[in-house]
Amino acid sequence: MSFATTSLDTGMTKQPHSSTETAPGNMRRATTAPLDIETVVEELKELPQPVGMPLLDDPKYHTRDVSVFYNETKQAIFNVDLDIGRNEVIAMIGPSGCGKSTYLRCLNRMNDTISGCRVTGELLLDGEDVYARSQDPVLLRARVGMVFQKPNPFPKSIYDNVAYGPRLHGLANNRAELDEIVEDSLTKAGLFKEVKDRLNLPGTGLSGGQQQRLCIARAIAVSPEVILMDEPTSALDPIATGIIEELIDTLRQSFTICIVTHSMQQAARISQRTAYFHMGYLVEVNDTNTVFTNPEHLLTENYITGRFG
Amino acid sequence: MNKSVEIGHHTSQQYNHELEDVRNLLLQMGGLVESQLAKALKALLEHDSELGEEVAFSDYKVNQLEVEIDEQCARIIARRQPAASDLRLLLSIIKSITDLERIGDEAEKIARHAIRTNDLNSGKLNASLRHLGDHVREILRESLDAMARMDSPQALRVARSDSQIDQEFDLLSRQLLTHMMEDPRTIQDSLNVTWCARSLERIGDHCKNICEYVIYFVEGKDIRHINLSRQAGKEIAASQTAPETVPQRLPAGLDPDPDSIQS
């Protein structure tokens, strides 16, 4: 299915959308049952703003009207308005190809590395333009760390994996300080006890779950403000998944965490807010309790109840 | 005016079947309880102790269905982790069957009175009881209807009309009191009538609960312990005049409001 680029009214006329103002026609109540999905999807183009509570006061990330194009021919996401709060875990869910990972990757300019990818709109981190010319992507990524689906430790020792970032950014003045950062990061990632006797062995020798926690330790070693996680547990068994979910909840005290997940149950377990993407549109953002008991939008309802793939 | 929430359309056909099955069981249980009540009232008013025996005996079927539905719901929750409307459906089913089972118990109580009582002496009392009984049966039927069709406006209407039953019960109680004072020999009979009327009044309350679960399922709104009468007029008017294309919602005013919570 192809989308014409929509020309949404994105100017000053945009009003904060509240869930109580019902605008028939552009907001589908989950409990009405038209079930002509194509019509509902068409209506997304007219949706002035995601339903629910996409906007917050004093957010960590303030993003407006974000669109991403690949090679100018394919638009991956359409005019996304979303605020991400401080010290919250926000889960991005949606079917494959809905744009949730693309959006996540905009947040620390990971899309810069993809040729032909163009990002438009406004992305502010603490009021600072992420895409400003003066913004150094390397420093940005120190502030906004990332954890990927597959654990990808460097082919170095466990110690060096964690020490890599602090060394690069000059965060430690001497070996003792570096040791402290490494131990602290590994402890926060819940891995230190398991590896403290073999810090000099290669990180690639750890189990999958341990490797993923090593990657999390590596991400938090540079004291980021935000951690982006792109399906961090989809390659792990339930026990390792449980450990990492518990870890995410602990890390929330110090960081803001955005997590893309295919497991709705995981989103339900660990997030405070949930954002539902569909075919490049951000459809609904609400607190997680609402999304999983009484979602506002029919598409959200259908997705989380398993009514389409 | 299609307010019904779809149960089907899951990617998993098996899941559709499971939800459909448990819902059918619920409707079956509703039908059974309805017939138990009808028979119990008939037995009481027509002094048919044999029919009373039958009702009292059959209560085990209601109980069995309750257990079976609970088990099925537990299985679905364990295996499917339902969310959103599916979750609300299962929660409202689990809660509804408790009320249905209690309605069954009340019907059984009425039936036992029918077995014990050979004659209700006063034709007047009999008529009042019959009237209350018919009213309660009507409310039960409408509640089950609202449940079967997932019709939240009707559920709201029925939930609100429960207060009429309460009034009728009060009226009957006063009538009985007068009777007993006038002629102490009627005390035994009057007390029997009181117990039956009390059972009927309780059934009305259970119906109200069931309607509240229907509204919770369809609208996602919990309206328990909210004064419904305040909203009465405009509410019904709104739901009846709403154009068909506009999704029907309960008005925002039905959100829990501390002022209107009944003590």
Side-chain angles (χ1 to χ4, degrees):
Chain A
M1 187 181 289
S2 70
F3 278 100
T5 308
T6 54
S7 56
L8 291 185
D9 177 12
T10 54
M12 314 301 242
T13 54
K14 221 176 238 187
Q15 297 295 324
H17 181 92
S18 86
S19 58
T20 48
E21 58 187 48
T22 318
N26 63 14
M27 196 194 97
R28 279 293 179 190
R29 232 331 265 195
T31 47
T32 60
L35 282 173
D36 180 6
I37 292 300
E38 286 187 12
T39 319
V40 182
V41 172
E42 273 307 296
E43 284 171 0
L44 284 181
K45 297 177 185 174
E46 308 299 325
L47 196 68
Q49 212 164 50
V51 301
M53 329 175 294
L55 310 187
L56 300 172
D57 294 331
D58 187 32
K60 186 75 189 166
Y61 263 107
H62 164 104
T63 70
R64 293 290 180 277
D65 199 21
V66 175
S67 295
V68 177
F69 303 85
Y70 289 124
N71 297 322
E72 294 303 323
T73 50
K74 169 148 174 49
Q75 187 168 359
I77 59 178
F78 297 82
N79 312 87
V80 170
D81 291 343
L82 176 63
D83 284 343
I84 297 169
R86 292 168 201 282
N87 298 83
E88 79 171 355
V89 179
I90 182 167
M92 323 264 176
I93 59 170
S96 294
C98 67
K100 55 193 189 300
S101 289
T102 302
Y103 176 79
L104 190 77
R105 294 162 65 88
C106 292
L107 296 175
N108 70 345
R109 292 182 57 171
M110 288 297 284
N111 287 330
D112 286 13
T113 58
I114 300 169
S115 71
C117 176
R118 187 166 65 85
V119 179
T120 64
E122 190 183 34
L123 285 114
L124 307 180
L125 171 60
D126 277 333
E128 215 178 294
D129 188 356
V130 169
Y131 278 82
R133 237 168 235 285
S134 55
Q135 185 69 256
D136 178 352
V138 176
L139 290 182
L140 174 72
R141 286 170 206 151
R143 291 174 68 191
V144 186
M146 192 150 186
V147 177
F148 299 88
Q149 175 177 7
K150 270 195 173 166
N152 54 353
F154 302 134
K156 290 169 174 287
S157 71
I158 295 170
Y159 184 95
D160 286 340
N161 261 285
V162 183
Y164 189 86
R167 275 188 189 130
L168 183 72
H169 294 285
L171 299 181
N173 294 318
N174 52 48
R175 179 73 191 200
E177 277 183 31
L178 193 59
D179 285 352
E180 197 186 318
I181 292 177
V182 170
E183 181 178 339
D184 190 44
S185 307
L186 284 170
T187 308
K188 274 188 187 154
L191 189 62
F192 187 69
K193 272 188 202 156
E194 291 162 56
V195 300
K196 64 177 189 290
D197 299 325
R198 43 176 171 155
L199 289 175
N200 293 318
L201 297 181
T204 45
L206 297 171
S207 75
Q210 288 173 328
Q211 285 189 24
Q212 194 62 304
R213 277 180 283 152
L214 179 60
C215 292
I216 292 174
R218 187 177 65 191
I220 60 186
V222 292
S223 309
E225 298 158 33
V226 183
I227 304 176
L228 310 178
M229 298 189 173
D230 195 347
E231 298 178 43
T233 62
S234 48
L236 304 182
D237 75 7
I239 296 170
T241 300
I243 294 171
I244 287 182
E245 287 180 359
E246 178 57 26
L247 173 61
I248 288 171
D249 200 51
T250 331
L251 293 178
R252 182 162 73 89
Q253 312 299 326
S254 337
F255 310 98
T256 297
I257 297 170
C258 311
I259 177 168
V260 163
T261 175
H262 272 145
S263 161
M264 283 174 279
Q265 293 314 313
Q266 179 169 67
R269 286 191 297 265
I270 62 176
S271 68
Q272 282 75 54
R273 284 205 304 158
T274 299
Y276 175 65
F277 286 78
H278 189 91
M279 300 183 91
Y281 293 90
L282 177 55
V283 176
E284 175 165 355
V285 187
N286 249 324
D287 75 272
T288 302
N289 288 333
T290 306
V291 169
F292 285 91
T293 55
N294 191 16
E296 283 180 40
H297 201 284
L298 177 69
L299 292 173
T300 319
E301 165 92 23
N302 281 355
Y303 182 69
I304 67 166
T305 56
R307 284 185 165 82
F308 51 60
Chain B
M1 203 173 288
N2 184 5
K3 272 250 40 161
S4 70
V5 182
E6 295 286 333
I7 287 182
H9 300 286
H10 290 93
T11 308
S12 162
Q13 286 297 317
Q14 186 58 34
Y15 191 13
N16 286 341
H17 292 319
E18 287 167 12
L19 289 176
E20 202 55 61
D21 284 351
V22 72
R23 187 162 165 265
N24 286 338
L25 277 179
L26 172 74
L27 298 180
Q28 191 188 328
M29 184 174 175
L32 180 59
V33 166
E34 203 180 355
S35 94
Q36 284 281 90
L37 176 62
K39 283 181 189 165
L41 281 169
K42 187 162 188 275
L44 181 72
L45 296 170
E46 297 175 8
H47 321 303
D48 186 343
S49 59
E50 213 168 289
L51 189 59
E53 296 275 7
E54 187 196 318
V55 172
F57 175 75
S58 301
D59 187 53
Y60 82 94
K61 293 181 192 161
V62 179
N63 299 344
Q64 259 178 3
L65 271 172
E66 186 195 20
V67 172
E68 193 180 336
I69 293 170
D70 258 340
E71 271 174 13
Q72 284 212 15
C73 288
R75 269 202 297 274
I76 295 175
I77 290 171
R79 297 175 62 132
R80 303 284 180 183
Q81 289 100 45
S85 64
D86 297 337
L87 178 65
R88 299 203 305 272
L89 173 70
L90 288 175
L91 288 177
S92 47
I93 287 178
I94 291 171
K95 304 204 74 145
S96 295
I97 57 173
T98 309
D99 282 289
L100 283 176
E101 193 270 333
R102 298 220 175 122
I103 294 176
D105 288 348
E106 299 295 345
E108 187 191 346
K109 279 186 206 163
I110 295 173
R112 293 203 182 280
H113 277 288
I115 300 168
R116 277 200 300 272
T117 319
N118 293 322
D119 198 8
L120 291 174
N121 281 334
S122 164
K124 206 172 162 195
L125 285 184
N126 208 334
S128 296
L129 198 56
R130 182 187 297 275
H131 188 262
L132 180 63
D134 286 347
H135 196 167
V136 167
R137 276 179 57 200
E138 176 71 11
I139 292 237
L140 176 60
R141 193 183 55 74
E142 284 177 350
S143 308
L144 294 173
D145 238 31
M147 187 163 74
R149 288 191 276 115
M150 295 307 167
D151 182 344
S152 63
Q154 170 162 356
L156 186 62
R157 236 168 8 245
V158 178
R160 251 195 325 249
S161 65
D162 175 52
S163 59
Q164 292 169 12
I165 297 224
D166 295 347
Q167 282 168 9
E168 220 171 299
F169 173 68
D170 286 346
L171 209 67
L172 183 56
S173 299
R174 277 202 295 275
Q175 208 180 350
L176 287 165
L177 214 60
T178 320
H179 259 278
M180 289 188 266
M181 285 191 298
E182 275 174 2
D183 183 357
R185 281 170 303 176
T186 63
I187 286 180
Q188 186 56 50
D189 279 345
S190 297
L191 279 178
N192 276 332
V193 174
T194 310
W195 289 122
C196 294
R198 178 75 192 156
S199 287
L200 291 171
E201 188 268 337
R202 290 295 300 142
I203 292 175
D205 293 344
H206 291 304
C207 291
K208 184 181 178 200
N209 291 347
I210 291 172
C211 289
E212 287 167 349
Y213 306 141
V214 172
I215 291 168
Y216 171 68
F217 165 51
V218 178
E219 308 280 347
K221 278 193 175 146
D222 193 340
I223 63 156
R224 289 174 302 174
H225 313 300
I226 294 174
N227 188 349
L228 294 176
S229 57
R230 204 178 57 163
Q231 292 287 334
K234 55 184 174 184
E235 182 55 36
I236 287 187
S239 70
Q240 283 173 351
T241 57
E244 302 215 345
T245 48
V246 178
Q248 269 187 37
R249 307 291 327 278
L250 290 180
L254 270 186
D255 284 333
D257 170 0
D259 296 341
S260 62
I261 290 182
Q262 294 168 329
S263 53

